Amino acid sequence: MADPNSGLFSLSCLLVTTLALLHYPTSSVAQTLFVFGDGYYDAGNKQFLSGNRVDANSPPYGISVGEATGRWSDGRIVPDYLAGFMGIPRIPPILRSSGDFTHGASFAIAGATVLGSALETNDIQMTLSQQVKKFSQNKNKWTDKALSEAIYLTYIGSDDYLNYAKNNPNPSHDQKQAFVDQVITSIEAAIKAVHEAGGRKFAFQNLPPLGCLPMVKQETGNNKDCVKLPSEMAALHNNNLSKLIEKLALDLESFQFSFYDFFSSIQNRVLEPHTYIFGTGTAACCGTGPLKGTGCAANNVCVNPNGYVFFDGKYLTQKANFQVADLMWNANPQVIEPNNLRELLVFPLDIPFIYNVKSLDQVGKDGSFVIK
């Protein structure tokens, strides 16, 4: 039998998948997108939930599209582009009472965590489990067919690990693994709840090297190299998340998925920005300090956000978001596997789903750590 990690095995999977799709020419195209996560995916929920002014609801956020929309970028975010690739309107935040939810809803909210934080009440934060609960409460807005064919897009966990690293600067390996296990267990429960509510097609974006965020580097006074602990935690999380998803594909009926290696995409753009047509992957476009890592405001924003990977100390520019969305939609299995979203969209629900997620070897240049 071919080695599951070999090129021959991957080619075999591709051929079988292609033949299966040819055998089922009536495969449907999803017209519904549900979004779960934090500020990377927030389409404006934070502004409706918070009683205070939300930075993303005012310039310079939104400057590349002419208005601030509650998105944490100079313009569009990944779910906006994916909706466009699907041929449907941009997905509205679930908390916008006037939103048209025909094609889905976004439950993502800036600052959301998996486990919850003592710094905020859960009602303001909307943890992953609460986002899923909100989805379950609203699922009658869509037909069972729409729910089963929809794409369920998820990115969350950054704030869990950033908070952990800040509060636990020198954890042991066992302590790090125990915390990751808590996060993964909670994510598993959330995925199972969505599956029980009718979800079948799941898209996961794993975490970036968190120690490379301008905010993190500047806060620790390490303006050159990425900070090791947050990136290590992200890599541990990503490896455990990929194992969980493979397990769920075996355990849950008609469970289909795409798994995008966001970690490598950001690491590459931080280390070699010019390769990806950016001027810098180190400093942000907007903010104060040597890396513009904090305090993004109208009086300290760059002239051309397209030259930057990061818009502020934490979130991406519209250009970087487009590159991420394009990779999720079109890329080969070196970047997203076992299928990209364009393929996942049309994969029939009534045939076996073929998958093989490689072990992620994620290396941080700052400390040369490898997670296998």
Side-chain angles (χ1 to χ4, degrees):
M1 181 177 178
D3 179 357
N5 292 317
S6 71
L8 178 61
F9 184 85
S10 297
L11 179 60
S12 299
C13 288
L14 176 62
L15 288 173
V16 174
T17 300
T18 302
L19 291 172
L21 289 174
L22 289 173
H23 185 67
Y24 286 81
T26 59
S27 58
S28 60
V29 177
Q31 291 287 289
T32 312
L33 176 64
F34 296 107
V35 183
F36 303 92
D38 59 20
Y40 272 80
Y41 283 0
D42 187 356
N45 277 317
K46 191 75 169 183
Q47 62 185 319
F48 296 108
L49 200 60
S50 176
N52 301 318
R53 185 185 75 85
V54 174
D55 290 342
N57 205 33
S58 303
Y61 293 91
I63 57 171
S64 294
V65 293
E67 63 174 337
T69 61
R71 289 164 171 80
W72 298 82
S73 179
D74 58 302
R76 294 183 177 88
I77 55 177
V78 169
D80 296 333
Y81 287 116
L82 292 178
F85 297 155
M86 291 172 65
I88 60 177
R90 288 195 292 273
I91 303 303
I94 189 64
L95 298 180
R96 181 190 294 160
S97 58
S98 61
D100 180 356
F101 301 111
T102 303
H103 296 283
S106 174
F107 301 87
I109 184 168
T113 59
V114 176
L115 299 179
S117 168
L119 298 178
E120 294 187 82
T121 66
N122 284 342
D123 287 337
I124 292 177
Q125 194 183 54
M126 248 173 91
T127 61
L128 177 60
S129 63
Q130 289 180 317
Q131 292 178 32
V132 170
K133 182 179 179 181
K134 192 79 172 174
F135 162 72
S136 298
Q137 291 170 342
N138 284 272
K139 72 172 188 173
N140 290 337
K141 297 181 187 295
W142 303 279
T143 65
D144 290 345
K145 184 174 187 292
L147 291 171
S148 66
E149 295 178 348
I151 299 293
Y152 295 82
L153 179 66
T154 302
Y155 170 88
I156 197 166
S158 291
D159 285 299
D160 290 272
Y161 296 111
L162 290 174
N163 293 337
Y164 179 84
K166 187 177 293 186
N167 296 326
N168 302 274
N170 296 295
S172 67
H173 175 76
D174 288 347
Q175 289 172 326
K176 288 184 286 188
Q177 189 61 63
F179 185 77
V180 170
D181 288 345
Q182 289 182 43
V183 174
I184 295 299
T185 297
S186 187
I187 290 175
E188 179 179 12
I191 295 171
K192 287 181 174 178
V194 172
H195 182 271
E196 186 175 349
R200 293 296 181 267
K201 295 175 180 279
F202 294 81
F204 301 95
Q205 175 179 328
N206 73 12
L207 300 183
L210 296 172
C212 296
L213 300 180
M215 173 187 73
V216 175
K217 294 167 69 175
Q218 185 169 300
E219 283 179 351
T220 58
N222 193 349
N223 296 334
K224 183 179 179 181
D225 297 325
C226 297
V227 182
K228 184 176 181 180
L229 178 58
S231 294
E232 260 187 343
M233 297 298 293
L236 275 171
H237 169 92
N238 293 344
N239 223 29
N240 281 264
L241 180 62
S242 68
K243 292 175 182 176
L244 168 65
I245 293 167
E246 287 194 353
K247 175 180 178 293
L248 293 177
L250 292 173
D251 294 346
L252 300 180
E253 178 186 0
S254 301
F255 182 91
Q256 302 178 0
F257 68 91
S258 286
F259 188 85
Y260 165 55
D261 186 9
F262 185 46
F263 187 106
S264 294
S265 292
I266 293 301
Q267 181 169 258
N268 292 341
R269 284 158 179 77
V270 168
L271 296 176
E272 300 176 1
H274 298 289
T275 301
Y276 303 93
I277 324 178
F278 292 103
T280 178
T282 303
C285 163
C286 182
T288 61
L291 299 181
K292 303 292 185 70
T294 58
C296 177
N299 63 353
N300 56 33
V301 64
C302 69
V303 175
N304 180 23
N306 285 337
Y308 294 78
V309 175
F310 297 100
F311 180 64
D312 61 14
K314 188 176 184 181
Y315 300 112
L316 304 182
T317 57
Q318 174 176 260
K319 179 179 173 181
N321 281 325
F322 172 78
Q323 290 189 4
V324 167
D326 186 58
L327 289 171
M328 295 181 77
W329 185 255
N330 285 311
N332 62 35
Q334 295 299 315
V335 179
I336 182 167
E337 49 186 357
N339 301 289
N340 59 39
L341 286 186
R342 180 169 49 84
E343 295 162 341
L344 180 67
L345 198 70
V346 299
F347 204 97
L349 290 169
D350 53 354
I351 65 174
F353 185 68
I354 300 163
Y355 65 92
N356 174 41
V357 177
K358 66 178 180 293
S359 176
L360 298 178
D361 295 344
Q362 299 183 328
V363 182
K365 293 280 183 163
D366 55 308
S368 298
F369 60 87
V370 181
I371 308 298
K372 292 185 177 179

